[in-house]
Amino acid sequence: MTKQFDVAVIGAGAAGMMCAAVAGQRGKKVVLIDHASKLGEKIRISGGGRCNFTNLRAGPENYLSQNPHFCRSALSRYTSQDFIDLVKRYRIGFHEKHKGQLFCDDSAEQIIAMLKAECDSGGVEWRMPCKVAAIGRNGEAFRIETEAGEILANSVVIATGGLSIPKIGATDFAFRIARQFGLKVVEPRPALVPLTFDSAGWSSFLPLAGIALSVEIAAGEKKARGFFREDLLFTHRGLSGPAVLQISSFWREAAALSINLVPDVDVAESLVAGKNSIKKNLGNVLAQWLPARLAEGWLLANGFNADAKVAELPDKQLRKLGESLNRWTITPNGSEGYRKAEVTLGGVDTSELSQQSLMCTRIPGLHFIGEAVDVTGWLGGYNFQWAWASGVAAGRSI
Ligand SMILES: Cc1cc2nc3c(=O)[nH]c(=O)nc-3n(C[C@H](O)[C@H](O)[C@H](O)COP(=O)(O)OP(=O)(O)OC[C@H]3O[C@@H](n4cnc5c(N)ncnc54)[C@H](O)[C@@H]3O)c2cc1C
């Protein structure tokens, strides 16, 4: 049996639930369709189960897109404070962890329950789990063929996210629909993802697996250059931790990462200038600035004897060692891919969409929101803030 709605939202994730709730609460007849059997899986696993649901300092400068200004309108009309107010209304406890990142005190489940309640108060109808076979036109409206029957809707909102973590239901649905309607898609690629190195080259770093330290990390050129001060983690396959996840969004194949392992000290200068007053051996001196296991492993990998007295080493060698720590350059051979990526870079080209409503300028009634759009946040609650803001922008305009 065919059912008629004002709005059909496809994808009941962060952006989709937000959009459906807002449109429903404005009196629109809304149906929310998702193929998953469990609601909000990505929210549930986010932030280590505590959902880093926004960032106090979220602004357009924290997002990557071919048009960096595109996100400005939605972000300014639904700010992190607006989402915090909603969270407070539901009496969900939260705290700031690091650099403006807000997490639930208890569980990400509370955010899912809140969004579900918001949808319920907007009278949203659910089709879940429910597969969508096709979307076509029906005059000015849209015809959506689902396994639960045909749906006619005046507006369709595609909120099916990106390609990250296929095992919990990510699909290329948004990009397929965009292409079907002749819209440009910025080539998607995994982002916020650990980077890998060829196994032969990485073998000397294997003993460092598990070590974490605060570093400065950079990659990319000119306007596309990223620079972060965050924690780096050595793993068996390569590099991870917030520093590498952040920089992975800026890194491109065959390019090197530039890493300062001792950001607060000019190691070459300190070793050479203090050489004659330093009585300790090299291993102990480096261990003032680095985790001891890293100091030891680094010296070994770079052909230094950890027991050598600093005072007895030539300046040239000390400078070389300092350079290697303050300006480590290393070239990844790839990333862990969508299996481990927190987000998808790229997506529906923003030049196809209105900044105010996220509606396709060439196809009235068709909207794309959330991660499906070529707007990708840094690590730290920015991606959810974009999901909320773009969901609200579409929900208010339909
Ligand atoms: C491990 C992990 C941790 C993360 N932690 C954080 C964090 O703490 N803070 C933060 O800001 N961001 C975090 N992110 C990113 C954040 O989860 C996403 O950016 C955000 O969920 C995107 O929202 P969305 O609504 O666009 O897509 P999603 O939340 O991915 O929702 C898409 C929905 O569409 C459904 N769907 C997909 N394909 C179809 C189809 N063909 N038919 C029907 N339904 C479909 C899916 O089942 C899903 O419910 C994390 C991501 C991961 C993977």
Side-chain angles (χ1 to χ4, degrees):
M1 196 184 74
T2 303
K3 275 202 85 174
Q4 185 118 26
F5 292 88
D6 296 321
V7 189
V9 180
I10 305 176
M17 280 197 273
M18 196 63 163
C19 176
V22 169
Q25 289 172 20
R26 286 178 52 242
K28 300 287 173 186
K29 192 169 179 233
V30 182
V31 62
L32 184 47
I33 308 164
D34 199 296
H35 68 166
S37 45
K38 230 169 153 192
L39 181 62
E41 267 300 82
K42 225 172 244 182
I43 302 174
R44 194 185 322 276
I45 63 169
S46 69
R50 291 224 162 88
C51 186
N52 175 196
F53 55 78
T54 192
N55 191 297
L56 289 172
R57 303 194 259 283
E61 60 284 1
N62 307 115
Y63 294 85
L64 288 91
S65 169
Q66 290 209 335
N67 175 2
H69 301 292
F70 180 83
C71 58
R72 189 177 295 275
S73 169
L75 289 174
S76 67
R77 286 178 296 128
Y78 191 83
T79 64
S80 54
Q81 191 54 53
D82 290 319
F83 194 77
I84 293 166
D85 291 344
L86 181 63
V87 165
K88 283 184 177 164
R89 262 206 286 130
Y90 279 79
R91 299 183 192 287
I92 298 172
F94 64 90
H95 59 279
E96 181 181 349
K97 209 165 167 183
H98 172 66
K99 296 187 176 173
Q101 301 169 5
L102 300 188
F103 287 76
C104 297
D105 290 344
D106 294 331
S107 163
E109 302 271 0
Q110 295 171 291
I111 300 292
I112 302 171
M114 176 186 83
L115 294 167
K116 170 84 168 53
E118 283 292 291
C119 287
D120 290 345
S121 74
V124 172
E125 277 195 35
W126 292 82
R127 299 284 186 279
M128 192 180 163
C130 175
K131 289 198 170 68
V132 176
I135 302 180
R137 294 312 293 257
N138 183 33
E140 294 285 279
F142 295 86
R143 190 179 54 250
I144 303 159
E145 287 163 33
T146 79
E147 61 180 2
E150 189 179 69
I151 288 170
L152 291 181
N154 298 329
S155 298
V156 171
V157 182
I158 309 292
T160 49
L163 300 170
S164 328
I165 325 278
K167 81 165 188 255
I168 59 163
T171 68
D172 65 351
F173 186 84
F175 311 143
R176 269 192 283 127
I177 296 300
R179 290 188 180 113
Q180 174 195 327
F181 282 93
L183 305 170
K184 285 182 280 177
V185 173
V186 176
E187 193 54 32
R189 56 181 282 129
L192 300 185
V193 63
L195 297 173
T196 56
F197 299 84
D198 74 74
S199 46
W202 195 248
S203 58
S204 56
F205 295 105
L206 284 179
L208 307 181
I211 294 175
L213 74 163
S214 174
V215 304
E216 285 176 355
I217 192 163
E221 297 295 331
K222 295 185 182 147
K223 276 190 178 166
R225 186 165 175 81
F227 173 87
F228 295 91
R229 182 162 181 158
E230 286 285 1
D231 283 356
L232 172 89
L233 174 69
F234 286 85
T235 73
H236 284 106
R237 289 171 53 81
L239 294 173
S240 187
V244 169
L245 300 190
Q246 295 282 33
I247 214 66
S248 69
S249 301
F250 295 82
W251 176 78
R252 292 295 178 271
E253 279 67 18
L257 304 177
S258 169
I259 302 174
N260 185 346
L261 291 165
V262 194
D264 296 322
V265 180
D266 182 333
V267 177
E269 214 35 57
S270 301
L271 290 175
V272 172
K275 188 171 159 178
N276 293 325
S277 57
I278 301 175
K279 300 274 179 281
K280 294 178 187 164
N281 66 28
L282 205 47
N284 288 339
V285 173
L286 291 199
Q288 302 172 98
W289 305 315
L290 292 168
R293 194 152 64 86
L294 175 57
E296 211 174 285
W298 196 262
L299 290 171
L300 195 66
N302 285 279
F304 285 89
N305 177 359
D307 295 327
K309 293 277 176 246
V310 175
E312 289 163 11
L313 289 165
D315 289 3
K316 200 173 160 198
Q317 275 196 36
L318 294 176
R319 286 196 192 284
K320 198 171 145 230
L321 175 62
E323 281 279 310
S324 75
L325 287 164
N326 285 133
R327 269 177 287 280
W328 183 31
T329 54
I330 185 160
T331 305
N333 70 350
S335 80
E336 295 277 7
Y338 290 116
R339 200 173 52 87
K340 289 273 179 74
E342 286 203 9
V343 289
T344 302
L345 204 63
V348 177
D349 196 316
T350 57
S351 66
E352 304 281 9
L353 305 174
S354 148
Q355 295 184 22
Q356 275 71 38
S357 63
L358 282 295
M359 187 172 80
C360 302
T361 43
R362 291 191 283 145
I363 303 157
L366 181 62
H367 301 67
F368 289 84
I369 58 172
E371 205 180 305
V373 178
D374 172 35
V375 172
T376 306
W378 293 0
L379 184 77
Y382 302 102
N383 284 295
F384 278 133
Q385 187 57 36
W386 169 246
W388 318 134
S390 59
V392 169
R396 280 179 184 161
S397 72
I398 291 168

